[in-house]
Amino acid sequence: MKSDSIHGMWSSRLMFVLAASGSAVGLGNIWRFPYVAGENGGGAFVMVYLACIFLVGIPIMVSEILIGRSARQSPINAMRTAAEASNATSCWQLLGWMGVLAGFMILSFYAVIAGWVLAYIFQLGSGMFTGSSGELAKSAFDGFVGNVWEVLAWFTVFIGITISITARGVSSGLEVAVKYLMPILFFLLVVLVIYAAFTSGHFLEGLQFLFSFDFDKLSWNSVLVAMGQAFFTLSLGMGAIMAYGAYMPKDASIVGTATLIALMDTGVALMSGLVIFPLVFANALESSAGPGLMFITLPLAFGQMAGGQFFGCVFFILVAFAAITSAISLVEPAIAWIVEKLNTTRLIAALLVGGCVWLLGLGSVFSTNIWSDVFIFGEMTFLDTMDYVTNNIILPLGGILIALFAGWILSSKIIDEELVADRWLYPIWQFLTRFIAPIAVSIVFIMALLQD
Ligand code: TRP
């Protein structure tokens, strides 16, 4: 077992937890979870999502961390090293390549949404939503995303921020930022839940929507979307957590840490739902409004709240930070690989990756304006397609392969070394990784295909 990576190391287990939860907690929790839950009918969807987090997500997160930590390299090279050490074919490194590609695809639309968030910091700060109605908030959103130059500018700013942070490396600057920002985000979310609980008058309806299990409404496609959301929100299936695991101190318990991260992430998602749905019902908005949901409900809530101009602005700043700490994990696998392979600086690697993502992202920038009637599949725009394909196909597929590799191929010597701190949980992890995760993901894939 190597004790260090050439890219640097987290200074403690806590810093790994913060970095990994920084990766996990992001737009997936605050923006995507409420709107996909809304589109897929609520309760039953949430149940499937939670089951996927605990039965499939946590075991795969453990697998990613342990592969990364044993090799202390970028996911592409970590897969190769781990495969060679286990006498398996080095073709397994293709999994690392698939992850790099997925990271590019995800960031290309993620940065567009994050750009909307940046713009909303200023819109809320300007007080334009003060006393606003549901209708006004909706037309303000439609007007904003319809403006190609504005969306393009904010998207470019977000990519720029991501590049400038990753170029500096696994820095103490990032560690410090995450250390303060994540707790503040958590705190403000609690304030908002309380606000929604007491002032919307529809909190129970919100609760019911999220937690009443009406399985009749659930199609296999919704099950697939719930599973994809579980992968997305935990940052699994493309090597982000594997890359972060490579910088994790070797004495920390992997299973305990992964469980903690999953719990925090789930907490943030459910709280976001408890903020957004009561507001949806209170203002007679559509729960299935799609990607715009957060950008309509939250400004509305803040617009009606005392001090809302200030809190709204702060909240969107924090959402932006959550998005940044996630975005950097989307490019870390590619950047670490370029540094290892080309022996170049992180700055060059980061610029290269940023340039590619920017180009690919243009398609998503245009999806709400000049290309809003260009559909790739069915009614899906470029942005919707990137989102759908990565979340519902590439990430779960990557996840199955990681589970199969860790469960059946990886040498037990490596696993023993990495899981020393988790002895009694080892058999449970192994059972879930060998059988439950691959079988569950396969069944969902097959059923969703058959049903269409
Ligand atoms: N988990 C993040 C979110 O919820 C997004 C993210 C970061 C991600 N890194 C990832 C998703 C890797 C999939 C794979 O916002």
Side-chain angles (χ1 to χ4, degrees):
M1 177 153 71
K2 280 192 215 143
S3 59
D4 269 315
S5 97
I6 60 161
H7 307 288
M9 297 285 289
W10 307 117
S11 55
S12 63
R13 168 182 184 255
L14 178 65
M15 289 305 154
F16 172 78
V17 171
L18 289 173
S21 46
S23 166
V25 173
L27 297 176
N29 307 63
I30 305 167
W31 160 72
R32 196 171 191 277
F33 170 74
Y35 102 73
V36 290
E39 283 182 337
N40 291 280
F45 174 92
V46 176
M47 265 304 274
V48 176
Y49 160 81
L50 291 174
C52 289
I53 296 271
F54 290 98
L55 295 177
V56 178
I58 294 180
I60 292 179
M61 187 182 288
V62 169
S63 308
E64 283 205 28
I65 299 175
L66 87 81
I67 295 168
R69 191 170 72 172
S70 72
R72 299 231 180 266
Q73 287 165 305
S74 67
I76 294 175
N77 285 327
M79 285 305 301
R80 207 197 52 223
T81 309
E84 280 166 3
S86 313
N87 294 320
T89 153
S90 55
C91 287
W92 281 101
Q93 67 176 303
L94 286 176
L95 192 50
W97 282 105
M98 195 171 99
V100 166
L101 180 72
F104 280 51
M105 291 172 70
I106 294 174
L107 187 58
S108 77
F109 74 84
Y110 200 85
V112 173
I113 313 290
W116 299 355
V117 171
L118 292 179
Y120 265 62
I121 294 174
F122 295 92
Q123 299 202 10
L124 271 104
S126 76
M128 71 178 256
F129 289 103
T130 308
S132 164
S133 69
E135 230 161 284
L136 247 122
K138 185 167 174 345
S139 64
F141 173 73
D142 292 338
F144 165 69
V145 296
N147 182 330
V148 57
W149 292 109
E150 251 187 283
V151 176
L152 178 65
W154 288 113
F155 159 75
T156 308
V157 170
F158 186 81
I159 299 261
I161 298 173
T162 307
I163 297 311
S164 60
I165 295 178
T166 42
R168 295 204 182 95
V170 187
S171 72
S172 55
L174 177 66
E175 287 194 357
V176 174
V178 178
K179 179 158 85 188
Y180 294 106
L181 293 169
M182 300 309 289
I184 303 178
L185 175 71
F186 219 70
F187 172 77
L188 263 186
L189 213 48
V190 173
V191 171
L192 274 178
V193 172
I194 295 173
Y195 167 80
F198 286 105
T199 62
S200 70
H202 291 70
F203 192 68
L204 285 178
E205 236 175 294
L207 261 179
Q208 208 172 22
F209 183 75
L210 280 176
F211 296 107
S212 64
F213 314 133
D214 183 358
F215 283 95
D216 294 346
K217 277 199 240 152
L218 203 67
S219 66
W220 277 102
N221 189 56
S222 300
V223 173
L224 177 64
V225 173
M227 183 175 78
Q229 173 63 18
F231 278 95
F232 184 76
T233 193
L234 294 178
S235 301
L236 295 178
M238 57 72 65
I241 294 294
M242 196 184 289
Y244 276 16
Y247 318 142
M248 183 191 192
K250 67 169 174 247
D251 50 358
S253 141
I254 296 183
V255 179
T257 309
T259 308
L260 181 63
I261 294 164
L263 287 175
M264 298 200 338
D265 185 79
T266 306
V268 172
L270 294 178
M271 285 203 302
S272 305
L274 287 181
V275 172
I276 287 181
F277 287 112
L279 294 167
V280 167
F281 297 124
N283 294 286
L285 297 164
E286 283 294 328
S287 59
S288 58
L293 192 61
M294 170 182 100
F295 295 92
I296 297 166
T297 50
L298 288 186
L300 196 57
F302 286 116
Q304 291 165 358
M305 187 182 190
Q309 188 173 341
F310 175 76
F311 285 115
C313 176
V314 172
F315 188 79
F316 272 88
I317 292 177
L318 292 166
V319 177
F321 277 112
I324 292 168
T325 55
S326 297
I328 51 186
S329 74
L330 283 164
V331 288
E332 183 61 26
I335 293 179
W337 180 79
I338 294 175
V339 170
E340 284 163 13
K341 179 74 180 179
L342 304 181
N343 213 350
T344 170
T345 61
R346 282 195 62 112
L347 177 63
I348 302 209
L351 285 172
L352 261 170
V353 172
C356 295
V357 172
W358 188 84
L359 278 177
L360 184 62
L362 291 178
S364 295
V365 167
F366 299 153
S367 291
T368 52
N369 36 68
I370 53 179
W371 287 358
S372 60
D373 47 10
V374 176
F375 300 121
I376 313 276
F377 290 113
E379 297 239 301
M380 287 197 271
T381 61
F382 188 88
L383 191 160
D384 300 332
T385 307
M386 283 289 157
D387 180 321
Y388 191 90
V389 170
T390 49
N391 280 293
N392 304 326
I393 299 170
I394 305 187
L395 296 180
L397 190 64
I400 294 195
L401 292 171
I402 290 169
L404 290 175
F405 181 79
W408 297 97
I409 311 277
L410 193 62
S411 99
S412 54
K413 195 169 142 279
I414 294 181
I415 302 178
D416 285 339
E417 273 175 21
E418 294 299 334
L419 296 187
V420 267
D422 302 297
R423 272 271 132 75
W424 65 278
L425 288 164
Y426 187 148
I428 303 177
W429 167 77
Q430 195 171 47
F431 176 72
L432 292 172
T433 310
R434 283 194 163 173
F435 301 103
I436 302 299
I439 294 175
V441 177
S442 309
I443 291 178
V444 177
F445 268 150
I446 294 169
M447 294 309 286
L449 265 180
L450 289 183
Q451 208 177 44
D452 282 344

